Amino acid sequence: TKPSRRLGGIWLHDAALSTSGSGKQFFHHRGKRYGHVIDPRSGQPSGDGLSITITTASALEADALATAFFVMGQAAKFENESLRSIPAIWTRPTRRQDEIEVTATGDWTWAETPRELTSVQA
């Protein structure tokens, strides 16, 4: 929701990355924000988060998983052990304005500064 505010960086090596979310494509209706990703089960805008970023070996797989996980919602990261092993970064709003919650699943190497970032093992 704030394109000029960077959360971090990801270095990829022999990996692909895809992000699905409602950060840029959304609309407001009756005071509620709705994203453009539609849940095929209900026909309604989906996702209880802002975004999910997935890394895999294949761009096709990363894109499909990111969209599917976004539709499934935040609970997906806890419901299935095999999903928890896929490198993913989930963002969701909090009750405070301009604050988000960031959680990760899978194997990531976190760094304090951009120079220390290392590639993800996907």
Side-chain angles (χ1 to χ4, degrees):
T1 61
K2 306 280 185 199
S4 62
R5 295 175 82 181
R6 181 177 161 170
L7 292 176
I10 299 171
W11 289 8
L12 299 174
H13 179 71
D14 293 331
L17 177 141
S18 182
T19 299
S20 281
S22 61
K24 291 189 177 190
Q25 295 178 316
F26 63 91
F27 63 95
H28 286 94
H29 178 68
R30 296 186 179 172
K32 187 169 179 186
R33 186 176 191 270
Y34 295 95
H36 74 289
V37 180
I38 304 298
D39 185 336
R41 299 168 293 188
S42 66
Q44 298 294 313
S46 65
D48 53 357
L50 291 174
S51 70
I52 179 167
T53 298
I54 300 268
T55 63
T56 65
S58 154
L60 180 66
E61 184 179 62
D63 183 51
L65 287 172
T67 302
F69 281 19
F70 188 77
V71 168
M72 290 166 49
Q74 294 283 317
K77 64 186 168 195
F78 301 112
E79 291 174 352
N80 186 320
E81 190 169 330
S82 63
L83 298 182
R84 291 193 299 265
S85 67
I86 296 170
I89 297 174
W90 307 73
T91 64
R92 62 184 257 165
T94 66
R95 293 180 187 225
R96 295 179 60 179
Q97 184 175 353
D98 293 338
E99 181 180 86
I100 63 168
E101 176 185 300
V102 179
T103 57
T105 58
D107 185 22
W108 293 92
T109 300
W110 297 97
E112 293 299 319
T113 65
R115 273 178 251 169
E116 296 171 356
L117 290 175
T118 59
S119 63
V120 65
Q121 303 299 313

